[in-house]
């Protein structure tokens, strides 16, 4: 179908399936997207006269997605991604709001860095909202606390040393208290440094390659300890990118005890296992932290997403320039890009392949991450229009060479499936996503 609104008067979507988790709406209707920045609303008589009109039978309109977890590399890592390319990748994947982690160079532990990032986001003119995350500790050093209040005033919406754990629990207790005082979340990268002992999971692939592996306990012991600390401090904690069955067991138990914990899962931990290395060889686009795990761990992550123990999707979009990823399994940096493929791969494998409701997938990519980040985004009928249009039946084949991201380290390259983002309306313009 032809969807190319130009719209001085707005955009009228006829007979579209509207999924808006915030209002529990999942119904076919006519939707009007004003061009003047006022909120999206149901169509009214007369809207057709001024608007571009798209016949949308068979398509889905939803709030633009909220990315809880991205690394945009600017400042300091512009060979791998810039804020402009990262936000363009986000938009291509249907995201309208992106939390950007602080492990830049310099680290984002200073309002001057936050302001520089926000300036770059505005200059990108992508229409995507950048939501910086302040470092928890100066330089991600795990010792001295970053100036969270000043960072929050400058625009940071969360606190995290993501990429590194806050291993000292006296410091972590201060971080939890600081986040609570500001009313913003702490995002935990749970990892026991002493067990972080290799490039991939400690399993068959590591043995086949003759490398030392990372045991599941590297994550799960830290998850258990951080949940216990949050409980003792009476503080909220959000646990990033869960990858092991034991971590999920600890999370379930903590939630049952009343600990205020939330969690996210990445598309790669939901859809891939370390067996992929045995099929593909030492492909560094499969090297990420936490690492891909065996099937029982992957199945536990999927089960936790299905039953709501894990509330949200976060991609952990982690671009690395091709020459960095070409250094071989031992030396290549950890991370995979994810924003341009997240919806498509999850829709095909979990919605079509495993019966996860589409409306629930939308919720896990909109209101669920927004609630964790404590931001008002991910709601179709409030705020400035940020709409994703989805073709649930459209076939796709991932071609990383066509990504908006500056990097190509995509573990799903070459995958095929059905259901993709057609494009987005935000910042008053329509942008088609690459087919
Ligand atoms: Zn992390």
């Amino acid at each position: 179908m032809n969807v190319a609104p130009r719209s001085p008067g707005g955009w009228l979507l006829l007979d579209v399936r509207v999924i808006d988790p915030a209002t529990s709406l999942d119904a076919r209707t006519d939707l009007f997207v004003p061009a003047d920045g006022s909120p999206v609303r149901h169509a009214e008589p007369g809207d057709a006269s001024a608007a571009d009109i798209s016949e949308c039978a068979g398509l889905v309109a939803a709030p633009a997605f909220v990315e809880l977890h991205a690394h945009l590399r600017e400042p300091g890592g512009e060979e791998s991604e810039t804020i402009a390319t990262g936000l363009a990748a986000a938009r291509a994947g249907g995201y309208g709001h992106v939390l950007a982690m602080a492990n830049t160079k310099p680290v984002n532990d200073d309002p001057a860095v936050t302001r520089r990032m926000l300036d770059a986001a505005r200059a990108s003119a992508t229409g995507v909202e950048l939501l910086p995350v302040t470092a928890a500790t100066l330089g991600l050093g795990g010792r001295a606390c970053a100036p969270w209040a000043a960072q929050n005033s400058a625009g940071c919406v969360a606190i995290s040393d993501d990429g590194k754990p806050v291993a000292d629990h006296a410091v972590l207790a201060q971080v939890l208290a600081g986040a609570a005082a500001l009313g913003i979340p702490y995002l935990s990268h749970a990892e026991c440094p002493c067990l972080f002992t290799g490039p991939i999971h400690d399993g068959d692939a590591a043995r086949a390659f003759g490398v030392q592996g990372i045991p599941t306990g590297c994550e799960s012991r830290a998850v258990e300890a951080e949940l216990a600390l949050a409980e003792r401090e009476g503080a909220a904690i959000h646990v990033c990118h869960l990858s092991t069955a034991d971590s999920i067991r600890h999370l379930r138990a903590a939630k049952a005890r009343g600990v205020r914990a939330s969690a996210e899962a990445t598309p790669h931990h939901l859809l891939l296992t370390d067996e992929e290395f045995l099929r593909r060889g030492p492909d560094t686009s499969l090297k990420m932290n936490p690492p891909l795990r065996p099937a029982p761990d992957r199945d536990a992550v999927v089960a936790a997403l299905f039953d709501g123990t894990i509330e949200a999707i976060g991609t952990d979009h982690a671009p690395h320039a091709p020459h960095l990823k070409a250094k071989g399994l031992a030396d290549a940096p950890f991370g995979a890009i994810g924003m341009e493929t997240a919806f498509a791969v999850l829709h095909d494998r979990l919605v079509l392949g495993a019966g996860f409701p589409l409306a629930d997938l939308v919720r896990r990519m909109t209101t669920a991450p927004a609630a964790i980040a404590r931001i008002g985004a991910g709601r179709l009928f409030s705020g400035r229009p940020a709409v994703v249009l989805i073709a649930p039946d459209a076939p796709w084949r991932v071609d990383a060479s066509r990504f908006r991201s500056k990097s190509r380290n995509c573990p799903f390259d070459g995958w095929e499936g059905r259901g993709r983002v057609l494009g987005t309306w935000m910042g008053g313009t329509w942008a088609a996503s690459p087919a």
Side-chain angles (χ1 to χ4, degrees):
M1 66 154 279
N2 180 29
V3 182
R6 294 169 303 281
S7 86
W11 182 27
L12 182 60
L13 295 84
L14 297 178
D15 195 22
V16 68
R17 178 180 169 191
V18 176
I19 297 178
D20 180 44
T23 56
S24 302
L25 177 65
D26 182 354
R28 287 170 68 166
T29 184
D30 299 337
L31 200 66
F32 185 69
V33 184
D36 64 2
S38 56
V40 173
R41 56 175 171 76
H42 291 278
E44 295 167 0
D47 285 338
S49 60
D52 281 314
I53 300 172
S54 295
E55 179 55 57
C56 292
L59 303 181
V60 173
F65 305 140
V66 177
E67 170 63 288
L68 262 180
H69 195 140
H71 301 272
L72 300 186
R73 303 301 185 212
E74 182 178 355
E78 290 85 351
E79 63 177 342
S80 296
E81 196 79 288
T82 66
I83 284 172
T85 61
L87 295 184
R91 184 159 181 174
Y95 289 90
H97 319 270
V98 177
L99 272 70
M101 291 297 178
N103 60 340
T104 47
K105 298 173 194 151
V107 166
N108 186 13
D109 57 10
D110 182 330
V113 178
T114 296
R115 284 192 288 270
R116 179 174 159 188
M117 291 171 66
L118 291 169
D119 286 346
R122 269 187 294 276
S124 79
T126 54
V128 178
E129 181 183 26
L130 178 71
L131 300 159
V133 176
T134 177
T137 64
L138 290 176
L140 308 183
R143 299 257 172 250
C145 295
W148 311 308
Q151 284 280 65
N152 184 218
S153 298
C156 289
V157 301
I159 300 176
S160 182
D161 270 359
D162 185 64
K164 292 185 177 177
V166 180
D168 182 327
H169 277 206
V171 176
L172 184 53
Q174 291 180 58
V175 174
L176 291 170
L182 290 168
I184 60 177
Y186 167 65
L187 314 177
S188 161
H189 171 109
E191 174 185 306
C192 291
C194 60
L195 294 174
F196 189 67
T197 46
I200 64 175
H201 170 73
D202 180 22
D204 291 345
R207 280 185 283 281
F209 297 157
V211 298
Q212 199 175 357
I214 306 168
T216 54
C218 180
E219 174 184 293
S220 61
R221 288 189 197 181
V223 167
E224 181 180 26
E226 291 200 17
L227 289 169
L229 182 69
E231 181 174 25
R232 198 159 61 238
E233 298 293 319
I237 186 167
H238 173 75
V239 196
C240 297
H241 44 52
L242 286 183
S243 73
T244 80
D246 282 343
S247 301
I248 287 157
R249 191 164 52 75
H250 295 313
L251 177 63
R252 271 189 220 287
K255 285 186 164 190
R257 297 196 303 273
V259 178
R260 290 186 293 138
S262 59
E264 77 199 22
T266 70
H268 49 264
H269 290 120
L270 287 161
L271 303 181
L272 293 166
T273 69
D274 70 334
E275 284 174 32
E276 206 63 26
F277 281 112
L278 300 176
R279 282 190 281 274
R280 296 195 214 174
D283 177 347
T284 60
S285 70
L286 300 170
K287 179 184 177 182
M288 57 275 284
N289 181 28
L292 298 178
R293 305 290 190 181
D297 290 297
R298 189 269 319 270
D299 294 347
V301 177
V302 171
L305 182 78
F306 272 57
D307 72 16
T309 302
I310 292 174
E311 292 91 345
I313 302 294
T315 74
D316 197 2
H317 180 84
H320 294 292
H323 77 92
L324 299 173
K325 275 293 194 182
K327 288 181 172 180
L329 196 61
D331 298 320
F334 291 90
I337 53 176
M339 290 192 286
E340 288 178 80
T341 49
F343 176 82
V345 295
L346 292 171
H347 179 269
D348 187 78
R349 298 314 199 258
L350 294 188
V351 175
L352 299 181
F356 193 61
L358 173 57
D360 208 2
L361 178 59
V362 169
R363 187 162 66 85
R364 307 311 183 91
M365 297 178 74
T366 56
T367 47
I372 290 164
R374 301 181 214 169
I375 57 175
R379 309 169 71 87
L380 190 60
F381 296 102
S382 63
R384 296 183 67 80
V387 182
V388 58
L389 194 62
I390 293 162
D393 295 322
W396 49 259
R397 184 174 196 281
V398 176
D399 179 356
S401 72
R402 302 186 64 206
F403 283 169
R404 301 284 197 267
S405 171
K406 219 168 167 177
S407 289
R408 299 289 175 260
N409 50 312
C410 170
F412 306 113
D413 198 18
W415 276 34
E416 296 180 345
R418 279 196 302 129
R420 68 175 188 88
V421 171
L422 268 186
T424 49
W425 176 285
M426 57 186 78
T429 62
W430 166 259
S433 297

